Amino acid sequence: MERALTEAVRSRRPGVQQRRHGRGLLLLEAIGTLIGESGDLRATLDRIVALVAERLDMEVCSIYRFVPEANRLTMVATHGLDPGSVDNVSMGIDEGLTGFALEKGEPVMAIDALAHPRYKYFPETGEERYHSFLGVPIVDRREPLGVLVVQTSRRRRFSRDEVRLMKAVAVPIGGLLVQLRLLESLESKEEERRGYHQRMLDAIKRLQVYERQQGSADVPTAVTAVRVNGIPAAPGFGIGRAHLLVPDVSFSSIAERRPQAPRKELSRFQAAIARSVEEVERLKERVQASCPEIDATLFDAQRLMLTDESFRARVEAEISAGASAERALERVVTAMVAEFSQLEDPYLRARAVDVKDIGQRALRNLLGVAERDRSFASAVVLVARELTLSDIVLIEPEQLKGIVMGAGGSTSHASILAKSLEIPTVVGVERIDEIHEGTHLIVDGNAGVVYVRPGAEVVREYGRLKDEYAAFNRELDSLRTQPAVTRDGCRVMLSANIGLLGDLPLALRHGADRVGLYRTEFAFLSHRDFLNEAEQVTLYERVVHAAEGLPLTVRTLDLGADKYPPYFNVPLEANPFLGWRSIRVSLELASVFKTQLRAILRTTPSGTLRIMLPMISSLEELRRSRELLEEAKDELRREGHGFDEGVQLGMMVEVPSAVELADRFIDEVDFFSIGTNDLIQYLLAVDRNNRKVASLYEPLHPAVLRAIASVVRVATASGKPVSLCGEMAADPVCTLVLIGLGLRDLSMSAFFIPVIKRLIRSVEIDIAERVASDVLELATVKEVKRHIFEVMRELGVIDLMETYH
Ligand code: PEP
Ligand code: MG
């Protein structure tokens, strides 16, 4: 089998390699052409950074040159950062990640540069929104010349191929930097030209040598280590030996035997069904205990299939016609799988997996084979083409270090369970057959990559990442129990946004004061129908329990736009974010909405809950929602269900009309929460999910700041609480302004709580208030940012951010 993998890799290799080299060579050729055509070094460098960014699909590409006299690096060209930084941004070689690349003489990569110990913040560049960083030193015969850097806003790893290509691109750039140096030092134009050509010739020669070396170096590493891509489904890094999930029994391997009398075969079949039903019941209990977001009624569906009259009748007819129980079962299950697979409805089509699952289970029980013991001597990474929930729950979570799946999407049931159990998972892995039992694997659930038999280099890199995570967690621990309070004693509540039960441990670990936003629609995305009241009560009670006493703001369903459950049939809309979404859906599906309100109300006695309505754009919507809430309360009173009579009802302010009418709304709600994710997109007419316009999506836009200021003013004047729960709450660059505008409750992904807490604990509220009132006077994003950075620099909090982690 090992040999088969090696062969498979070898046979696939040339195609991949050719494509990769093809792309690399085209880029290098284009750079060569630019250099050849240009007489202006500066312009050439500008064109090169634009070309590299475009061809490698990076948002930023910059070149820094090393000035030996000053022992500093200075930016000489950039695509993506503020052009004003060229020749102005400079750093010592012991500063920042760029300096680190030069200092090390090796490429430096950071998935989240802001979290890297060597990160240094250069506000002038506008680089704060770029997370991932790759810096490659530009070196000529051991002499450092500079650093070539690419950055992306998406947190991602850079592949080995990308690093190699960058190294190759750095070679001709090295020639240009040498030229630049020459240009500045040599007086004679004639000498410049001669030197330039000579350096170019040298650079091209070096490039050829480099290419040859790279070409030959590829082969041995590729044969031993394989990197396969998939879709990230549950975050984290997992390392362990592959355990291939093969069924305990299979129809194809049953030996032919002469059937006993039909009566006997029938009773064997019935006994097997009875045992299977018991097993399914036990599984249901296990899943309910470990992950309430999973629709445990899936197991009811399996039980129903097993006990279904027509299923039995079909098997019994086969037996009566002379087949053994095993063959009869095989024929019926095969036919049913084929029938399900042809159904139009994708959800029902996917249920073919359940039919296979019950077929396997019944067969195993027919053959009297016990369920295989799923305990392992060491940590395993579960590998399978398709995984059912039963496959995952049968393994002890401590032994399960990762999951690799051929099929499946990131919202499949198996993925949701994996997320909840915090098991790093990659799904949709194409070359799953190349993984063999016992093979050493690294599962990178953040990037969606699996390393099969990783080389020492990859193991070292992942070891480093794990250590960094551990160090980061230690750092967090020291902050966890401390409040977010400014130096002059102003307390700010830092709350967590959650979607799944599995988000709560992180919220607690990061010291959240509250749950400021519980996005209830997430659980609905993984079910096969709207959750009924009892299921919702169970779920919300578990959330309350897991929140360990933290007050919870439960947001009612926010479906539509980019969140469609599989059972939600809506025609394709031209503008889904302006379409049938959120509260509009809830008000139209009033019985679904009321069921949710009843379930939340019924949970109120077990915790401190308040209810929040999403996307309210008119008083009519608010009033109709309140009517439904009152109806739900009346019903519960009549039915004798207890609930918190004083439960608060609030609304999200995330539509411009709600900002404009805030003074009207505030009289009819108990609290506001500003949802900047949507508010920014609606206010600035910038799609929040469209990469093409991402640079226009700007939280510090003066219009956004004015809108926030006016909502806070209205709420504060009426003495009602107001919080902010968009991603902006997690951006340290916005913190001073937000607390300065009067916000005392910021809700964010729990991961960011510590950094915001640190910042708040190092500033004074009057300074934040002054910054807020200053920026409200400014007209452009650039001015706003410049002002904030200046103040942060003066306060020394930029340095604090640099040294954080
Ligand atoms: C928002 O719009 O700011 C918000 C918090 O809600 P969501 O991101 O779920 O739309
Ligand atoms: Mg929203």
Side-chain angles (χ1 to χ4, degrees):
M1 263 174 134
E2 288 289 296
R3 179 122 49 87
L5 171 58
T6 312
E7 290 304 325
V9 173
R10 205 181 303 217
S11 68
R12 278 160 193 251
R13 205 64 208 161
V16 175
Q17 200 159 318
Q18 267 163 16
R19 268 201 308 281
R20 203 185 63 207
H21 276 207
R23 178 172 82 142
L25 283 175
L26 280 176
L27 174 61
L28 291 168
E29 191 183 293
I31 292 176
T33 311
L34 279 182
I35 294 172
E37 281 172 3
S38 163
D40 181 339
L41 276 176
R42 288 282 188 161
T44 309
L45 289 169
D46 287 341
R47 283 192 210 120
I48 289 176
V49 285
L51 186 72
V52 173
E54 189 219 316
R55 297 280 174 94
L56 299 188
D57 197 24
M58 305 287 167
E59 283 147 288
V60 175
C61 176
S62 317
I63 299 170
Y64 297 80
R65 66 194 285 222
F66 178 52
V67 186
E69 299 77 7
N71 206 28
R72 291 184 78 75
L73 280 159
T74 304
M75 186 190 282
V76 280
T78 186
H79 171 89
L81 296 183
D82 191 331
S85 321
V86 171
D87 289 332
N88 289 324
V89 165
S90 115
M91 64 205 76
I93 64 159
D94 55 351
E95 288 182 308
L97 286 169
T98 309
F100 195 30
L102 195 80
E103 203 181 26
K104 261 177 75 176
E106 274 174 33
V108 166
M109 180 196 310
I111 296 172
D112 194 342
L114 274 77
H116 194 284
R118 276 293 297 259
Y119 178 68
K120 182 171 162 70
Y121 195 36
F122 291 99
E124 312 79 316
T125 61
E127 69 175 343
E128 68 279 2
R129 76 171 83 101
Y130 301 109
H131 288 279
S132 297
F133 172 101
L134 171 63
V136 173
I138 307 171
V139 183
D140 179 17
R141 275 166 277 191
R142 293 175 183 260
E143 188 198 343
L145 295 176
V147 180
L148 173 65
V149 171
V150 284
Q151 290 167 279
T152 66
S153 56
R154 183 168 70 85
R155 288 181 182 79
R156 54 159 292 187
R157 297 182 65 72
F158 296 90
S159 68
R160 210 155 56 141
D161 293 342
E162 285 171 326
V163 176
R164 283 185 173 155
L165 191 50
M166 285 279 288
K167 278 166 138 179
V169 168
V171 177
I173 296 176
L176 294 180
L177 291 184
V178 171
Q179 272 312 298
L180 199 60
R181 209 181 275 173
L182 281 176
L183 201 71
E184 287 165 356
S185 61
L186 296 181
E187 283 167 22
S188 152
K189 283 275 170 213
E190 200 41 45
E191 274 183 71
E192 276 171 27
R193 203 170 293 279
R194 271 208 306 272
Y196 173 78
H197 282 298
Q198 188 53 50
R199 301 304 296 186
M200 274 306 97
L201 281 177
D202 288 352
I204 288 163
K205 260 189 230 146
R206 282 199 305 278
L207 186 58
Q208 285 162 348
V209 172
Y210 180 83
E211 279 280 288
R212 274 202 297 277
Q213 284 167 353
Q214 292 305 301
S216 58
D218 267 344
V219 182
T221 47
V223 171
T224 53
V226 189
R227 177 199 144 111
V228 282
N229 292 324
I231 304 161
F237 307 117
I239 302 181
R241 301 254 166 213
H243 172 62
L244 304 196
L245 201 84
V246 277
D248 296 335
V249 290
S250 92
F251 286 113
S252 58
S253 60
I254 334 167
E256 268 319 323
R257 65 171 181 82
R258 189 122 59 95
Q260 304 177 34
R263 192 175 39 80
K264 285 202 170 161
E265 293 291 337
L266 267 177
S267 73
R268 286 183 61 230
F269 170 67
Q270 280 156 1
I273 292 293
R275 272 195 302 277
S276 304
V277 169
E278 278 167 27
E279 283 179 5
V280 166
E281 290 290 347
R282 276 202 303 277
L283 270 176
K284 180 181 170 185
E285 280 165 27
R286 274 183 91 140
V287 168
Q288 272 176 330
S290 52
C291 185
E293 280 100 0
I294 295 288
D295 186 0
T297 56
L298 277 177
F299 292 101
D300 294 335
Q302 288 204 0
R303 187 172 40 77
L304 285 176
M305 280 184 206
L306 282 165
T307 52
D308 178 54
E309 269 314 310
S310 71
F311 169 64
R312 276 177 185 233
R314 285 169 79 168
V315 176
E316 286 172 10
E318 293 283 345
I319 292 175
S320 304
S324 66
E326 289 86 345
R327 283 288 166 245
L329 180 67
E330 178 182 16
R331 284 179 203 150
V332 175
V333 166
T334 311
M336 281 173 68
V337 168
E339 286 157 20
F340 270 88
S341 310
Q342 279 164 13
L343 293 177
E344 279 214 353
D345 181 322
Y347 186 79
L348 291 176
R349 210 166 46 234
R351 298 285 56 80
V353 183
D354 290 324
V355 180
K356 278 190 219 160
D357 204 19
I358 61 157
Q360 285 291 327
R361 188 174 297 285
L363 177 65
R364 189 173 40 68
N365 282 316
L366 257 182
L367 298 172
V369 175
E371 235 165 336
R372 194 179 298 167
D373 179 19
R374 296 261 165 76
S375 53
F376 302 94
S378 61
V380 294
V381 172
L382 200 55
V383 180
R385 180 153 297 285
E386 216 166 37
L387 275 181
T388 61
L389 291 182
S390 9
D391 296 326
I392 302 178
V393 279
L394 284 175
I395 301 181
E396 287 304 321
E398 303 79 65
Q399 289 193 312
L400 190 52
K401 296 297 171 204
I403 295 175
V404 177
M405 230 155 79
S410 57
T411 52
S412 72
H413 293 117
S415 305
I416 292 174
L417 183 60
K419 233 178 260 162
S420 208
L421 299 175
E422 298 187 44
I423 302 165
T425 298
V426 180
V427 299
V429 174
E430 284 165 13
R431 291 151 63 187
I432 199 118
D433 303 334
E434 295 173 15
I435 303 175
H436 300 269
E437 184 70 29
T439 309
H440 192 195
L441 297 180
I442 293 182
V443 182
D444 180 344
N446 299 343
V449 171
V450 181
Y451 289 91
V452 184
R453 261 174 282 119
E457 191 190 311
V458 177
V459 174
R460 228 184 2 258
E461 173 71 1
Y462 274 89
R464 190 184 61 73
L465 279 175
K466 282 194 108 170
D467 289 349
E468 273 180 17
Y469 265 41
F472 173 64
N473 282 335
R474 276 197 301 278
E475 171 88 34
L476 293 184
D477 275 349
S478 65
L479 266 182
R480 198 168 59 88
T481 49
Q482 306 198 26
V485 53
T486 59
R487 287 155 67 109
D488 46 351
C490 175
R491 175 77 161 100
V492 180
M493 303 307 278
L494 296 185
S495 313
N497 293 349
I498 65 160
L500 293 173
L501 193 73
D503 294 333
L504 273 165
L506 193 73
L508 294 169
R509 188 145 55 83
H510 290 243
D513 293 307
R514 300 170 179 163
V515 172
L517 169 63
Y518 170 28
R519 292 178 163 108
T520 55
E521 61 277 4
F522 274 72
F524 284 69
L525 296 180
S526 66
H527 276 241
R528 60 195 187 116
D529 204 345
F530 288 107
L531 280 83
N532 64 31
E533 188 173 320
E535 287 166 336
Q536 289 188 55
V537 172
T538 310
L539 173 61
Y540 303 149
E541 280 181 345
R542 291 187 68 97
V543 171
V544 165
H545 179 74
E548 296 184 4
L550 298 188
L552 275 153
T553 302
V554 184
R555 184 175 73 182
T556 62
L557 285 177
D558 188 27
L559 292 171
D562 52 357
K563 290 178 276 197
Y564 290 103
Y567 47 86
F568 194 55
N569 280 328
V570 272
L572 218 57
E573 297 182 294
N575 290 306
F577 274 98
L578 301 180
W580 198 53
R581 68 167 293 210
S582 196
I583 197 72
R584 300 169 185 176
V585 173
S586 296
L587 290 176
E588 203 167 314
L589 305 182
S591 69
V592 170
F593 189 27
K594 196 145 41 116
T595 303
Q596 182 176 39
L597 293 170
R598 284 173 54 101
I600 301 171
L601 286 169
R602 285 179 56 187
T603 316
T604 51
S606 58
T608 318
L609 265 70
R610 52 181 202 170
I611 303 173
M612 180 157 75
L613 304 167
M615 222 197 145
I616 294 286
S617 62
S618 70
L619 277 145
E620 287 86 340
E621 285 169 340
L622 174 62
R623 288 175 186 162
R624 177 70 190 130
S625 304
R626 192 178 276 288
E627 265 170 34
L628 289 169
L629 180 66
E630 292 309 321
E631 279 176 29
K633 286 182 182 174
D634 283 345
E635 289 172 8
L636 293 178
R637 277 188 210 106
R638 277 200 303 276
E639 293 163 22
H641 283 296
F643 62 90
D644 173 8
E645 289 280 354
V647 64
Q648 296 198 340
L649 180 69
M651 61 177 265
M652 295 203 54
V653 180
E654 51 182 347
V655 181
S657 60
V659 175
E660 285 300 318
L661 290 180
D663 55 341
R664 297 282 164 90
F665 280 115
I666 200 69
D667 293 336
E668 302 192 25
V669 292
D670 297 307
F671 64 92
F672 276 163
S673 187
I674 307 174
T676 46
N677 298 345
D678 276 315
L679 184 58
I680 296 168
Q681 81 163 346
Y682 293 132
L683 209 52
L684 305 183
V686 179
D687 181 344
R688 66 193 259 188
N689 295 325
N690 183 344
R691 264 192 68 181
K692 199 101 182 105
V693 288
S695 61
L696 300 176
Y697 186 93
E698 188 45 84
L700 289 170
H701 192 292
V704 176
L705 298 181
R706 279 195 192 187
I708 296 172
S710 88
V711 175
V712 174
R713 216 178 297 120
V714 168
T716 315
S718 64
K720 295 196 176 163
V722 52
S723 61
L724 187 143
C725 62
E727 295 308 310
M728 184 179 182
D731 186 345
V733 180
C734 304
T735 309
L736 275 182
V737 177
L738 294 181
I739 62 172
L741 287 175
L743 281 157
R744 294 292 174 269
D745 188 349
L746 302 175
S747 193
M748 62 200 81
S749 301
F751 185 81
F752 296 99
I753 290 178
V755 75
I756 302 297
K757 194 184 271 186
R758 271 252 170 140
L759 188 52
I760 290 175
R761 288 176 64 84
S762 1
V763 296
E764 276 157 29
I765 196 68
D766 348 335
I767 295 179
E769 281 166 0
R770 209 165 328 129
V771 174
S773 79
D774 288 347
V775 296
L776 283 178
E777 299 300 314
L778 301 173
T780 66
V781 176
K782 210 170 175 160
E783 287 164 3
V784 171
K785 283 192 171 171
R786 189 177 304 136
H787 185 68
I788 295 174
F789 291 140
E790 266 167 24
V791 176
M792 288 177 81
R793 201 190 281 286
E794 272 166 31
L795 293 175
V797 290
I798 283 192
D799 288 344
L800 180 144
M801 284 168 58
E802 285 159 18
T803 53
Y804 186 75
H805 304 328

